[in-house]
Amino acid sequence: MKSGLGIRSELFQQVAHTKPDFGFLEAHSENYFGASLLRAKLLDLREQYPISLHGVGLSLGRADKLSVAHLNALKSLVDDIQPTFVSEHLAWSAYQHHHVPDLLPLPLTPESLTIMCEHIDQMQSFLGRQILIENPSNYLLFDQLQIPEADFLNHLASTTGCGLLVDINNVYVSAQNLDRDPMKFINDLSSAAIHQYHLAGHTPVVYQTEAGQEELLIDTHNQPVSAAAWGLFEKTLARHGSRPTLIEWDSDFPAFDVLLNECEQANQRLANASPIVKTQSATHQHSGSGANNLPLAQQQQQFLNNILGSESDLAEIQAAHQSRIRIYRNNVSGALHRYLADIYPATEGVVGHDYFRQIVQLATQSTPPTDGNIHNYGGDLATVLDEFEGLDQKLPYLTDLMAFEWALHSVYFQEQSTELDPSSISQDALLTEPIAFRKDARMMVSDYPIYQIHRQSLPGFVGEVSIRLDQSQDALLIYKQNHAVESWLLDSASTVLLTAIQDSNSLLQAISAVEGVIPPTQLSSALAQILERRILVITSEDMAD
């Protein structure tokens, strides 16, 4: 049995070129929603390796309803990839209309158990297959009557038929942070329910509290697997036997050989392990004071309010752990900043790292994410710029720059419509049938040289920055070509013709509208370029079919 590796965008090229002997690859599901180039690459890798899908955004522990849109996107991906495993977490990240990019702690109460079972049943029915549930890293305890985590997971498996994904690093991190015995957790799990193991690294962080300093382990996935986690893995193999095992590394990537070495260390331990062992799990009494017993919905609303800005104490959290809420607050703010910086790299280059962080903080507090698919978030980031006095005068082009960067991002994930091949229809139909831009095409016009501003503000730009704000007024068409996003800097004739196409019912009507405005030779050239790029679609049902 060979171990697998968590596949990330930074690793695709090395995996595709070197073709290491992995047992499987595992991808974060939400990163492959939509018709992106990354999804196409994952489909290519599926021809070489078994693929598992690991979700982080469905929020199975939420107190309200699951997102049907998220389930639909996941089912589309599952149907395409046909993964070995599909997994999610014993956690939540959304309630009502707020959704944050972190796995938030779930009080392990009978109410939570009922909700998790219902949502697992719904997810498995929707996908038409079994899913696995992973134990998360925990940083705090609730002041409520708690079902032991291993018992909770065993009950989920026996009630819903789901399997368990045991994250060894999470077991160790949680045990250290909460002063628990990691082997007690391992021993109490039902072997028959375990289908997969995860291994990853963590980072010790020292925090200042009212009682002094405390060191906590943070599940960062950017370090080698610790000696303690390797030791716990060996004991887990002795207790429960071997299972498909994954090495996770999500950021601050080392040399590829380091990742291969991590996988090889897992392989050596798997080779020495027994086959699947089946043990009975023990049943334990619930623990906790039960002093506070707020409904889960109320707890989740208060928790979200706290990490999104209120920073008030939460009655259901143990008093000694109130300060640990900041870990989740920092995780959320850090994840949102990294995500939005990836979308708006030129914007961050223009305003600077610290100023951009302020923009992100204000935006996420006023309009936090509402969707488990994080790639849908960020299009209205520019709406908070009015809160920064004088910014519009100092950087008058900033709103247009942000609109351009959002167009690049949103087009990347947009489904590509069936393109119009001019050679496939008669000239009469080409001219008279109703037409429109493809869904993945975006046209924008700016009073500024936005194309060069963007290019020269990117982190990797090499050369002299030489832009005059009055040097051009740019018109751009952003669209997809073979899954890659293209930016077409339009000349005046193409701009006028494309604008007319947007405002017309047919190509003939658009051409008639610009005759006399564009010289014939320029009109002919603009039309040829538009048709060559195949950015138009026929909208009549008969012709579209």
Side-chain angles (χ1 to χ4, degrees):
M1 182 180 294
K2 293 285 188 179
S3 63
L5 180 68
I7 186 66
R8 306 295 180 256
S9 59
E10 294 86 348
L11 304 177
F12 267 98
Q13 185 173 3
Q14 288 171 304
V15 170
H17 286 174
T18 61
K19 297 180 174 57
D21 187 18
F22 294 134
F24 65 107
L25 297 173
E26 187 167 276
H28 282 167
S29 306
E30 288 78 8
N31 289 340
Y32 302 88
F33 285 1
S36 66
L37 178 61
L38 208 57
R39 182 164 175 156
K41 289 181 177 180
L42 187 64
L43 284 166
D44 288 342
L45 281 181
R46 186 193 59 174
E47 302 302 317
Q48 303 172 43
Y49 299 99
I51 303 290
S52 288
L53 294 176
H54 189 50
V56 295
L58 186 54
S59 189
L60 287 175
R62 65 188 299 168
D64 54 354
K65 296 180 180 180
L66 296 181
S67 166
V68 175
H70 196 108
L71 284 169
N72 277 322
L74 178 59
K75 188 174 191 322
S76 171
L77 181 64
V78 168
D79 289 347
D80 278 357
I81 299 296
Q82 293 296 307
T84 306
F85 298 121
V86 177
S87 54
E88 253 290 351
H89 293 82
L90 176 58
W92 66 286
S93 52
Y95 177 68
Q96 291 188 343
H97 302 299
H98 288 165
H99 204 299
V100 295
D102 194 26
L103 299 170
L104 304 180
L106 186 68
L108 302 184
T109 62
E111 181 188 10
S112 297
L113 184 61
T114 298
I115 288 171
M116 281 292 301
C117 285
E118 290 174 351
H119 286 167
I120 290 171
D121 280 339
Q122 181 183 356
M123 183 179 179
Q124 291 185 143
S125 296
F126 202 97
L127 299 180
R129 60 177 296 153
Q130 182 191 50
I131 66 165
L132 310 184
I133 298 297
E134 178 185 335
N135 57 295
S137 289
N138 291 308
Y139 305 107
L140 54 78
L141 287 172
F142 292 89
D143 195 16
Q144 290 179 269
L145 194 65
Q146 294 285 294
I147 301 171
E149 187 177 15
D151 288 2
F152 197 101
L153 289 164
N154 290 337
H155 191 92
L156 291 179
S158 63
T159 302
T160 68
C162 74
L164 301 182
L165 190 170
V166 180
D167 189 307
I168 304 299
N169 182 64
N170 288 354
V171 174
Y172 180 75
V173 165
S174 298
Q176 293 299 111
N177 290 338
L178 305 180
D179 194 23
R180 297 288 190 262
D181 178 5
M183 273 311 299
K184 183 178 187 326
F185 176 91
I186 295 297
N187 288 334
D188 289 346
L189 289 173
S190 171
S191 286
I194 300 172
H195 289 247
Q196 189 182 7
Y197 299 128
H198 274 187
L199 289 161
H202 58 259
T203 303
V205 177
V206 176
Y207 292 94
Q208 187 66 42
T209 71
E210 292 181 359
Q213 290 186 336
E214 69 170 353
E215 182 179 272
L216 297 175
L217 302 184
I218 307 300
D219 181 35
T220 51
H221 289 198
N222 65 353
Q223 301 291 326
V225 178
S226 68
W230 281 125
L232 184 59
F233 181 50
E234 292 167 2
K235 293 177 181 177
T236 302
L237 292 175
R239 172 69 175 176
H240 296 294
S242 59
R243 302 290 193 284
T245 299
L246 184 85
I247 297 294
E248 292 185 291
W249 199 304
D250 293 343
S251 63
D252 303 324
F253 292 95
F256 196 55
D257 285 346
V258 174
L259 301 180
L260 295 178
N261 181 62
E262 292 286 283
C263 291
E264 181 55 32
Q265 289 194 60
N267 290 339
Q268 292 173 9
R269 289 165 171 84
L270 288 168
N272 295 327
S274 302
I276 292 177
V277 177
K278 292 189 177 181
T279 62
Q280 294 295 320
S281 59
T283 301
H284 301 278
Q285 296 297 315
H286 300 174
S287 62
S289 69
N292 296 290
N293 195 22
L294 292 176
L296 185 62
Q298 188 175 345
Q299 289 187 47
Q300 292 187 348
Q301 185 64 70
Q302 290 181 1
F303 203 99
L304 280 174
N305 290 343
N306 184 290
I307 62 175
L308 289 172
S310 69
E311 300 190 20
S312 57
D313 284 352
L314 299 177
E316 69 274 14
I317 304 298
Q318 287 192 5
H321 290 173
Q322 287 288 339
S323 63
R324 297 185 180 187
I325 301 169
R326 64 183 164 190
I327 296 172
Y328 298 98
R329 191 181 302 122
N330 292 342
N331 286 348
V332 169
S333 63
L336 287 172
H337 177 262
R338 289 189 298 273
Y339 160 71
L340 290 170
D342 284 343
I343 296 175
Y344 296 101
T347 300
E348 185 175 38
V350 168
V351 303
H353 176 83
D354 293 339
Y355 209 98
F356 185 76
R357 181 176 285 277
Q358 293 180 49
I359 293 173
V360 170
Q361 183 177 11
L362 185 59
T364 54
Q365 287 178 354
S366 59
T367 54
T370 60
D371 191 338
N373 181 3
I374 191 65
H375 301 297
N376 292 333
Y377 180 67
D380 57 356
L381 187 63
T383 59
V384 303
L385 296 182
D386 291 342
E387 301 296 324
F388 296 87
E389 187 175 354
L391 188 62
D392 58 338
Q393 297 176 355
K394 184 179 180 181
L395 302 171
Y397 57 84
L398 190 59
T399 299
D400 286 356
L401 176 61
M402 296 177 78
F404 179 45
E405 293 199 288
W406 178 254
L408 293 172
H409 170 80
S410 59
V411 166
Y412 179 80
F413 290 98
Q414 178 65 54
E415 295 280 351
Q416 188 170 325
S417 308
T418 302
E419 59 190 25
L420 170 60
D421 179 2
S423 65
S424 65
I425 61 174
S426 67
Q427 184 175 358
D428 182 65
L430 178 63
L431 291 171
T432 59
E433 288 292 334
I435 58 169
F437 286 177
R438 287 186 342 215
K439 290 181 180 179
D440 58 289
R442 307 278 191 278
M443 183 178 174
M444 67 170 290
V445 179
S446 173
D447 290 334
Y448 305 99
I450 214 68
Y451 183 83
Q452 284 299 331
I453 291 173
H454 177 262
R455 189 178 74 87
Q456 296 186 30
S457 300
L458 291 172
F461 176 72
V462 177
E464 182 182 354
V465 176
S466 56
I467 304 171
R468 295 193 332 272
L469 295 187
D470 62 351
Q471 72 185 41
S472 67
Q473 293 179 326
D474 284 355
L476 294 149
L477 189 78
I478 302 98
Y479 65 101
K480 258 184 177 174
Q481 188 72 34
N482 297 324
H483 297 291
V485 178
E486 301 285 344
S487 299
W488 178 18
L489 185 59
L490 304 170
D491 58 25
S492 58
S494 298
T495 302
V496 172
L497 181 54
L498 284 169
T499 302
I501 289 172
Q502 283 186 311
D503 297 335
S504 302
N505 294 323
S506 68
L507 193 56
L508 180 60
Q509 186 179 16
I511 293 171
S512 300
V514 300
E515 284 182 335
V517 178
I518 305 175
T521 55
Q522 293 182 25
L523 175 57
S524 177
S525 174
L527 180 59
Q529 291 184 70
I530 291 168
L531 294 177
E532 181 182 357
R533 285 175 167 82
R534 299 187 178 184
I535 57 175
L536 303 178
V537 293
I538 290 179
T539 57
S540 65
E541 293 185 6
D542 291 343
M543 292 298 296
D545 293 339

